[in-house]
Amino acid sequence: MSLQKSEASPVQREPRQFLIRIAGAAGQIIEVYDFTLYGYLAVFLAPQFFPAKSEVASLLATFAGLLSTFVSRPLGAAIFGHFADRLGRRKIMAITIFGASGAATVIGVLPSASAIGVAAPVLVVLSRLTLGVFTGGEVPAAGAMVLEQSGSRRRAFSASWVQVGGIAGSILALLAATLLSAVLPHDELVTWGWRIPFLIAAPLGVMGWFVRARLTETPEFRKIEERGTLAPAPIVELFTNRRYLGQLLRLLGIFLCGSFFAFYVFLTYVPTYLLGHTQFGARAIFLSALIAQCFMMCIVPFSGTLADRFGRRPVLFAAQALFVILSVPVFLLMGLRTFGFVLLAQLAIVVPIGLHQGVQTPIMLELLPTRVRVSGGGLAFAVASALFGGTAPIFAVWLVGRTGTGISIAIAVMVAAVISFGATLVTAETGRRDLEA
């Protein structure tokens, strides 16, 4: 009888781990689905909500709307991080996924500026701000849920699934954009077709909540709850503890390049750049990006596996070195203006992005103890996203406008990678130690 139990137990545990990983990824699917849609459909959103005298001004205003999502993230990280560290990860995850999907869906039903005037861009910005609040608490809570229920030898691999969810969301958005551009005439796509993908966020939110409703609270949180060692004010503790504050500053440096600046330059701005600087149609550009993203989704869990075997820092160093090596060649390849070279460029640059994405969730959460883990990791992630992520497309539009060449963006990515390398250099390895309570 005992033999039968021991043989059955692995079979019982595996579906549970799979469920936890899928539940952790669900929120990122919605969040990145929305961001990617907004970025890839920016050329259609601009005349609808941000009409201006010039195309560049209209695009800048549209990407400023995207920036507002990042600006409100720190507020969401502070609010939801506090309650995740006080009440538990599971309860907060149920709230954030509904809020994020609702805010994303609103874009699909908003009237255009031609119908309601200045109220249209104001409502777009308000919906982006609301989305930012909910997503500010989503990533760290979901990451902690997965990380704290994984064995020490598989923590990075398990936590990497949060970012796999983000890439899956991006792929879903690209599929929607590709199918729309293939099925609808350009005029219909411009007038009303772009709304359809945003409406899909509502059923995605319902499905994500259904999966998360089956979760239980993490053992790491239950331990500090039973001991009575919950932080009364996690944010205050973060800023009054010199060690915690130092970890937050290190995380900001690590997140600069691969997590945000390079990620949003290459995956959000570059399609807009190609639409404006090459003869490719939207269908070809979306297709090449879709293939590259599918490739990257395979790289992220592989990165987590590498991080579990060799440590978090070696994988980060490799990603940062590849950003320095590949950035200029990638833009040179895209400048050749053939589909094959554009695809090759995108396949190359998603390698360091995927390597970095696979490590960012574990290192952000392992550096801090359980009592302030979600608040601290979320605040670092949210502040970095506001400073380096939401500004990346705007900076890229401005830089290309001033220099007239995409090589200038490549140089900026290289500088960001060097800064991230320095931050990683002064950060302790977290892969070979138990989680701190």
Side-chain angles (χ1 to χ4, degrees):
M1 294 294 291
S2 60
L3 179 60
Q4 290 176 347
K5 288 181 180 178
S6 64
E7 288 176 347
S9 57
V11 177
Q12 293 170 352
R13 284 196 298 269
E14 188 59 33
R16 176 173 164 74
Q17 275 296 314
F18 180 74
L19 175 69
I20 292 168
R21 292 167 188 164
I22 294 300
Q28 275 289 85
I29 290 174
I30 295 170
E31 177 188 356
V32 181
Y33 174 81
D34 174 84
F35 288 161
T36 306
L37 270 183
Y38 195 100
Y40 277 81
L41 299 179
V43 291
F44 305 120
L45 296 173
Q48 292 286 331
F49 297 111
F50 301 95
K53 293 181 179 179
S54 72
E55 183 180 345
V56 171
S58 184
L59 266 179
L60 282 172
T62 304
F63 281 124
L66 185 65
L67 173 61
S68 64
T69 309
F70 294 88
V71 169
S72 60
R73 271 188 174 187
L75 176 62
I79 294 172
F80 290 111
H82 171 86
F83 289 108
D85 285 330
R86 292 287 301 160
L87 304 178
R89 286 68 164 117
R90 178 180 177 271
K91 295 176 182 177
I92 296 306
M93 288 171 63
I95 296 170
T96 55
I97 197 165
F98 264 133
S101 62
T105 304
V106 165
I107 295 291
V109 298
L110 284 179
S112 65
S114 61
I116 61 173
V118 71
V122 171
L123 290 173
V124 169
V125 172
L126 285 176
S127 73
R128 302 290 86 193
L129 289 170
T130 303
L131 180 66
V133 170
F134 284 105
T135 57
E138 166 61 37
V139 175
M145 171 63 76
V146 177
L147 190 83
E148 292 172 358
Q149 300 204 70
S150 176
S152 59
R153 295 184 178 181
R154 302 278 281 174
R155 282 203 311 252
F157 173 77
S158 293
S160 72
W161 277 76
V162 175
Q163 299 306 320
V164 170
I167 300 168
S170 183
I171 289 171
L172 282 175
L174 285 167
L175 279 171
T178 303
L179 288 172
L180 278 175
S181 63
V183 172
L184 293 178
H186 182 76
D187 291 344
E188 293 183 19
L189 187 60
V190 169
T191 54
W192 60 269
W194 59 269
R195 295 181 181 273
I196 298 173
F198 287 101
L199 299 177
I200 296 173
L204 287 177
V206 173
M207 288 188 289
W209 177 86
F210 178 77
V211 174
R212 288 182 171 186
R214 301 175 62 189
L215 298 178
T216 58
E217 190 51 72
T218 73
E220 296 295 323
F221 180 82
R222 287 200 301 266
K223 285 178 186 176
I224 64 170
E225 188 177 37
E226 291 166 1
R227 294 171 186 165
T229 56
L230 295 170
I235 295 295
V236 174
E237 188 168 325
L238 283 167
F239 285 100
T240 55
N241 185 303
R242 292 182 63 184
R243 181 170 73 90
Y244 298 166
L245 194 57
Q247 304 290 44
L248 295 184
L249 293 175
R250 292 181 182 92
L251 284 173
L252 288 178
I254 292 171
F255 288 156
L256 168 59
C257 187
S259 296
F260 293 107
F261 187 73
F263 182 92
Y264 283 99
V265 162
F266 286 108
L267 300 184
T268 301
Y269 168 71
V270 161
T272 303
Y273 172 82
L274 292 172
L275 281 170
H277 293 79
T278 69
Q279 71 274 28
F280 295 126
R283 192 182 310 175
I285 292 170
F286 291 154
L287 178 60
S288 66
L290 176 61
I291 295 170
Q293 298 253 354
C294 289
F295 179 50
M296 185 168 70
M297 189 163 66
C298 300
I299 294 172
V300 171
F302 175 67
S303 170
T305 301
L306 290 176
D308 281 325
R309 182 169 183 178
F310 301 107
R312 284 44 167 161
R313 289 179 7 130
V315 179
L316 287 171
F317 286 142
Q320 292 148 4
L322 285 172
F323 278 124
V324 174
I325 295 168
L326 293 175
S327 292
V328 170
V330 159
F331 270 95
L332 289 174
L333 280 173
M334 288 191 293
L336 297 176
R337 302 185 179 186
T338 65
F339 180 82
F341 285 124
V342 168
L343 177 59
L344 179 61
Q346 290 179 313
L347 289 173
I349 202 60
V350 298
V351 172
I353 293 175
L355 288 173
H356 199 288
Q357 292 284 306
V359 183
Q360 71 179 30
T361 300
I363 199 167
M364 133 177 127
L365 298 171
E366 290 169 344
L367 281 172
L368 296 163
T370 304
R371 56 189 279 119
V372 295
R373 180 166 294 134
V374 179
S375 296
L379 196 62
F381 194 78
V383 171
S385 70
L387 293 177
F388 316 130
T391 58
I394 297 175
F395 176 75
V397 171
W398 174 82
L399 193 59
V400 171
R402 289 294 300 268
T403 63
T405 174
I407 300 299
S408 57
I409 304 176
I411 294 171
V413 170
M414 293 167 65
V415 172
V418 170
I419 295 172
S420 290
F421 185 93
T424 307
L425 200 62
V426 296
T427 301
E429 177 59 58
T430 62
R432 298 181 178 89
R433 67 189 192 194
D434 294 332
L435 293 175
E436 183 183 350

